[in-house]
Amino acid sequence: MARYTGAQILIKTLEERGVENIFGYPGAAILSVYDALPSSSIKHILCTDEQGAAFAAEGYARSSFKAGVCLATSGPGATNLLTGLADAYMDSVPMVAITGNVNLEDLGHDSFQEVDIFDMAMPVTKYSIIITKADDIAPLIRKAFTIAESGRKGPVLVDIPKSVLDETGTYEKEPSQKFTHKDPSPEEISAAVSLIKSAEKPVIYVGGGVKFSGAEKEVKILAEKLNCPVVTSFMGIGSFDQSSPLYAGVLSNENLMLPSIFKECDLFITLGARFNSRFNAFNTLKKRKIAVLQIDADRAEIDKNILTTASVLGDIKEVLSKVNPEIEQREMLEWAYKEEELPEDTNRGIQIICALSEKLKDSVTVSTDVGLHQIWTALNYKFLSPNKFLTSGGLGAMGFSIGAAIGSHFATGGKQLIITGDGSFNMNFNELLTCVKYHIPVIIVVLNNNSLGLIRLLQYGRKSKGYMASSLYLNTDYVKLAESMGARGIVINETDDINEKLNEALNGSLPVVIDCRISINEGIH
């Protein structure tokens, strides 16, 4: 077997695993890897911050369904990855984060830029590894990818001391082994089928696990056989055709149809979704003691928040391929809920989102942060095909969207639309430099109410007097900010015509930042 430095072995193993892009930021402890990168086929995307690199690796994974890879140095470089790791962990996104560390003999001696990233990352990763000799790099990197991409997917941290990257070891290429799912239990399949057959008014709840399984077709078959309403989580948006008459919207407190659906439902079929405490609908499940069928790849999710009537552990695509043939075609049932014709919304933020949806449709991948803009986008942008909506679901991380859009572009080559708020954009707008540097075709729409809108709404509900914490009082000129970074900037203010200004923005060069001025009380009622 040929001998190479640990850094060279790392790069060769990443190439072996089919890695094409790495998002990172250099530092002293990881420089040996940067020395080895130019001789490889891997493209390194230099972000402006390690958190941005982690979010970019996430966006890459969410759009490609392959593990995204990010690279950071020791100390603050490694700790800056933690928010991205936590976000990937909560949303089940496959990711491999590689950090350099101080020399092996210096670990535990409070060396310069030394942190115990292994222990720090354990609660927010699926698995963490410290590699202590060069000969272990190839097998442990292979293990990291297998863990990240198998079962319920998630992030893995690999920490490698500088001395291990510099010492020599052996490497021999191995073919990638495809992960195979364990077959679902026949008894669990039978119980699920019986429960579905006995239900008169089932509802299907589609979560993010559907897209990671590639089970959109199987979900459509089940829904059309049952002729029942389908709702999605934020992570599940796009996994069921929103133009279908069966689509009842996103599971959100703002979805006015859901209360009546839950009043009639007698079986709640959950596919790859958590019972998120963010939404009130699940309280109805408990109060009415509605039967629950949960299908999930992670046993830990089953019966965690709501007790199930029946459950199936397994890959959703495989499970439904066994369940669907046993279900007979049903006639469309009469439900009391009706999709009411609502008056035209005077919320300028929603008007802008609807106009963007009409103009861009599925020609872009849409990324959001967390807040009012996230809710408005989820409920009002029409997603007609899978995997066009990237958002921070479980962690709710501000600053997620711009990194995610960068990663998504490198995964798909496609145009990106970011819908964000001024509070979220302020978190990571430095990554606009990355967009400009790599000529990423991104449209950044900042719904600018000069406040933390969702926090302000929550404070309004609490009759709080602490608005000074959610009112930003910044009056930032995002046009000048964009131009200073080499992008275009356009303002939509109270008197501007939305369509005219959007056309001007969309028909010019990209990247572009659209500063949409909306009222500080938008959405507060």
Side-chain angles (χ1 to χ4, degrees):
M1 280 190 273
R3 297 188 68 80
Y4 303 92
T5 67
Q8 290 171 328
I9 293 171
L10 171 64
I11 295 301
K12 286 182 176 292
T13 311
L14 293 175
E15 287 182 307
E16 172 193 303
R17 293 295 308 203
V19 173
E20 297 175 338
N21 298 279
I22 292 178
F23 306 89
Y25 200 87
I30 201 72
L31 281 184
S32 297
V33 178
Y34 280 86
D35 290 341
L37 265 170
S39 302
S40 75
S41 61
I42 298 172
K43 181 179 179 67
H44 177 267
I45 295 90
L46 179 63
C47 297
T48 62
D49 181 270
E50 293 88 358
Q51 186 182 102
F55 286 146
E58 266 200 272
Y60 183 90
R62 290 174 188 247
S63 290
S64 69
F65 304 114
K66 299 190 297 183
V69 181
C70 56
L71 194 62
T73 192
S74 61
T79 59
N80 281 349
L81 296 178
L82 287 172
T83 298
L85 288 170
D87 194 68
Y89 183 68
M90 292 195 73
D91 285 352
S92 306
V93 178
M95 193 165 93
V96 175
I98 300 166
T99 54
N101 213 327
V102 299
N103 291 330
L104 194 60
E105 61 271 21
D106 293 330
L107 287 175
H109 293 278
D110 293 330
S111 304
F112 177 66
Q113 290 195 331
E114 177 197 355
V115 295
D116 184 1
I117 195 63
F118 172 82
D119 282 330
M120 293 173 75
M122 282 186 70
V124 294
T125 55
K126 192 176 175 185
Y127 196 74
S128 291
I129 304 169
I130 299 178
I131 300 181
T132 57
K133 56 183 180 180
D135 283 338
D136 288 343
I137 290 177
L140 289 179
I141 289 293
R142 293 176 189 128
K143 180 178 182 180
F145 276 85
T146 299
I147 292 171
E149 296 178 330
S150 62
R152 179 176 179 172
K153 300 169 176 59
V156 175
L157 174 86
V158 181
D159 191 41
I160 313 177
K162 182 179 181 297
S163 55
V164 176
L165 290 169
D166 291 336
E167 72 183 27
T168 59
T170 57
Y171 169 78
E172 185 174 1
K173 185 175 182 179
E174 287 187 8
S176 294
Q177 295 181 345
K178 189 174 181 181
F179 176 80
T180 55
H181 296 280
K182 183 180 178 181
D183 288 338
S185 157
E187 293 77 17
E188 290 181 347
I189 293 289
S190 178
V193 170
S194 296
L195 190 58
I196 293 171
K197 286 182 173 180
S198 65
E200 293 184 1
K201 289 194 172 183
V203 170
I204 296 174
Y205 177 38
V206 173
V210 169
K211 66 180 177 183
F212 281 119
S213 172
E216 292 88 354
K217 180 181 176 182
E218 286 73 19
V219 173
K220 182 174 183 288
I221 291 171
L222 178 62
E224 290 181 348
K225 278 194 168 187
L226 294 177
N227 257 317
C228 69
V230 178
V231 295
T232 73
S233 69
F234 276 32
M235 290 291 295
I237 287 174
S239 294
F240 190 80
D241 182 3
Q242 293 191 354
S243 65
S244 168
L246 299 177
Y247 181 67
V250 181
L251 189 65
S252 164
N253 294 338
E254 293 77 14
N255 186 338
L256 300 179
M257 289 193 295
L258 290 183
S260 55
I261 289 176
F262 277 97
K263 284 179 183 176
E264 296 190 66
C265 168
D266 62 357
L267 174 62
F268 195 68
I269 303 172
T270 302
L271 306 175
R274 298 178 300 119
F275 291 103
N276 195 322
S277 60
R278 184 178 183 183
F279 304 120
N280 298 330
F282 300 128
N283 294 329
T284 307
L285 287 180
K286 296 175 183 177
K287 289 177 182 176
R288 287 198 54 230
K289 297 181 180 179
I290 297 170
V292 174
L293 168 62
Q294 188 172 8
I295 300 173
D296 205 286
D298 184 3
R299 183 175 293 281
E301 283 300 322
I302 294 172
D303 292 328
K304 184 173 79 173
N305 294 323
I306 290 182
L307 292 178
T308 61
T309 311
S311 62
V312 184
L313 178 68
D315 176 72
I316 297 166
K317 185 180 180 72
E318 293 186 21
V319 171
L320 292 186
S321 69
K322 297 183 186 312
V323 168
N324 285 343
E326 305 298 319
I327 306 301
E328 296 179 357
Q329 182 66 50
R330 295 187 182 185
E331 297 295 325
M332 179 73 83
L333 293 171
E334 284 296 322
W335 287 71
Y337 84 90
K338 301 289 182 185
E339 187 168 1
E340 298 177 9
E341 284 292 328
L342 299 176
E344 185 177 352
D345 205 311
T346 57
N347 180 318
R348 285 182 60 78
I350 290 177
Q351 289 176 340
I352 290 165
I353 290 168
C354 290
L356 288 164
S357 178
E358 181 63 29
K359 292 176 185 299
L360 294 171
K361 297 184 170 64
D362 268 4
S363 66
V364 293
T365 298
V366 181
S367 299
T368 76
D369 293 284
V370 67
L372 290 178
H373 72 271
Q374 178 194 38
I375 297 168
W376 295 342
T377 303
L379 295 178
N380 295 282
Y381 199 101
K382 301 302 180 187
F383 297 94
L384 303 177
S385 58
N387 206 34
K388 289 291 188 177
F389 182 58
L390 309 182
T391 196
S392 177
L395 189 65
M398 298 171 73
F400 164 86
S401 65
I402 190 164
I406 291 168
S408 176
H409 169 72
F410 280 99
T412 65
K415 187 184 292 185
Q416 305 294 315
L417 170 63
I418 293 171
I419 302 176
T420 185
D422 49 328
S424 290
F425 186 54
N426 291 345
M427 291 274 187
N428 270 344
F429 64 65
N430 49 301
E431 293 300 342
L432 179 57
L433 289 167
T434 308
C435 296
V436 171
K437 178 180 180 179
Y438 292 99
H439 307 289
I440 295 172
V442 61
I443 303 151
I444 302 174
V445 178
V446 183
L447 299 182
N448 181 2
N449 58 1
N450 209 8
S451 76
L452 305 177
L454 184 55
I455 300 304
R456 190 175 175 85
L457 174 62
L458 294 174
Q459 288 179 319
Y460 177 83
R462 291 160 55 95
K463 297 180 171 57
S464 171
K465 296 180 179 179
Y467 284 131
M468 79 292 183
S470 59
S471 301
L472 298 179
Y473 303 115
L474 292 174
N475 199 28
T476 305
D477 189 333
Y478 289 114
V479 172
K480 288 182 179 177
L481 178 70
E483 291 173 348
S484 73
M485 294 185 178
R488 284 194 306 135
I490 288 178
V491 174
I492 298 177
N493 60 41
E494 294 292 342
T495 58
D496 286 326
D497 178 80
I498 291 174
N499 285 311
E500 180 183 333
K501 285 292 185 177
L502 286 180
N503 287 338
E504 179 185 344
L506 300 178
N507 292 330
S509 61
L510 303 177
V512 62
V513 176
I514 309 174
D515 182 359
C516 304
R517 305 290 178 89
I518 63 176
S519 166
I520 195 170
N521 291 316
E522 205 79 81
I524 311 294
H525 48 74

